[in-house]
Amino acid sequence: MIKLTRKVFLGVFLIAMVVVVGMGLGTLVPRPIAFSAKADDQDRPSSEKRRILVLSNPIHTDIALPADPDVLKAMNFVSDAGLELDYPGVFWIVFGWGSRSFYVETPTWADLKVKPVLDAFTWDRSVMHVRRAGAISSDMPDVRAVELTEEDFSILLQEIRGSFQSEDGLPPQEIPGAAYDAHDMFFPAVGGFNALMGCNTWTARMLRLAGLKTGFWTPLPLTLDLSLDLHNSL
């Protein structure tokens, strides 16, 4: 029994070490490795830039887009579903990708349950979360402002739109009854979810498609944030 316990402990320890080393290398190794011609865009006048926000908490990241006409048009299916985005006091539309079970059933830490956690660590269907928000200060420690060119902003907008699941050419349909309050809504998303390739790797992929560099593997907000500092002039 003692030998078995030691083997289990050693196995858990080795797995933990592999994950820690993987996150370290995943942060330090840039993705994409080759520099893109888009790097020159950083030198363009600020008047040609569009600002987005990367929002973080200890385990999750979101991308906030300004509630500008092109964003409202691209996401009009959200308004049609009942969450009006062209709403008084709304300055930002916040998007996040994640585990359907964990994301929908855990609005606060007090709502944490065993099954959603297990689903998130194994495999689960994915969802897109949409929230309308008022003014968000970029001076807050959990908010990162990023300036994009018009071209890269348009790419990001279309890639986020493409993360919503739709069938037979119809607009994405909301998940009935899935919301935290009157200002958010959930939709089925493209792809399956697990903890190794989760919400923060989705955020990283969206940012890469918008011309930024991230770490090769950034499963935590901290690793994503560090990699953005390491590999970009933001």
Side-chain angles (χ1 to χ4, degrees):
M1 182 68 178
I2 294 176
K3 289 183 178 180
L4 181 60
T5 301
R6 287 177 177 173
K7 288 181 179 179
V8 171
F9 176 79
L10 180 60
V12 172
F13 176 76
L14 289 175
I15 292 172
M17 287 300 296
V18 169
V19 171
V20 170
V21 172
M23 285 193 295
L25 291 175
T27 302
L28 294 173
V29 177
R31 185 176 182 183
I33 294 176
F35 281 95
S36 166
K38 290 182 179 180
D40 295 335
D41 291 339
Q42 297 294 334
D43 299 326
R44 291 186 181 181
S46 58
S47 60
E48 297 181 24
K49 300 293 182 71
R50 299 281 296 274
R51 172 171 286 196
I52 68 166
L53 303 177
V54 180
L55 312 179
S56 304
N57 67 34
I59 65 169
H60 179 79
T61 51
D62 290 310
I63 297 175
L65 302 183
D68 293 341
D70 54 344
V71 176
L72 298 179
K73 181 179 180 180
M75 303 297 171
N76 59 3
F77 63 90
V78 178
S79 296
D80 292 342
L83 183 66
E84 180 58 57
L85 299 181
D86 190 6
Y87 190 80
V90 173
F91 293 95
W92 297 94
I93 313 299
V94 183
F95 301 91
W97 182 91
S99 160
R100 177 165 179 162
S101 180
F102 187 91
Y103 213 165
V104 172
E105 297 180 32
T106 316
T108 69
W109 289 114
D111 300 296
L112 191 63
K113 304 180 185 70
V114 173
K115 184 180 181 303
V117 173
L118 292 176
D119 288 343
F121 272 92
T122 53
W123 185 90
D124 193 15
R125 292 172 293 172
S126 62
V127 292
M128 287 295 296
H129 184 225
V130 184
R131 171 172 286 279
R132 57 190 184 192
I136 302 175
S137 173
S138 59
D139 294 330
M140 297 172 64
D142 54 353
V143 178
R144 175 189 284 270
V146 178
E147 304 287 340
L148 300 177
T149 65
E150 285 284 353
E151 178 187 0
D152 289 337
F153 183 89
S154 296
I155 292 171
L156 176 63
L157 177 58
Q158 292 307 311
E159 292 296 337
I160 291 177
R161 172 64 175 79
S163 296
F164 289 81
Q165 185 182 96
S166 57
E167 296 181 4
D168 301 324
L170 297 173
Q173 301 297 309
E174 77 278 11
I175 300 174
Y180 296 158
D181 53 42
H183 299 287
D184 73 319
M185 188 173 281
F186 285 93
F187 293 79
V190 175
F193 179 98
N194 67 62
L196 296 179
M197 300 298 291
C199 54
N200 304 304
T201 58
W202 175 86
T203 301
R205 179 174 176 270
M206 293 296 107
L207 296 177
R208 287 195 301 273
L209 291 168
L212 297 176
K213 278 180 173 287
T214 71
F216 199 84
W217 181 53
T218 55
L220 297 175
L222 177 61
T223 56
L224 174 57
D225 195 48
L226 288 174
S227 75
L228 288 171
D229 285 333
L230 282 172
H231 306 305
N232 302 274
S233 298
L234 300 178

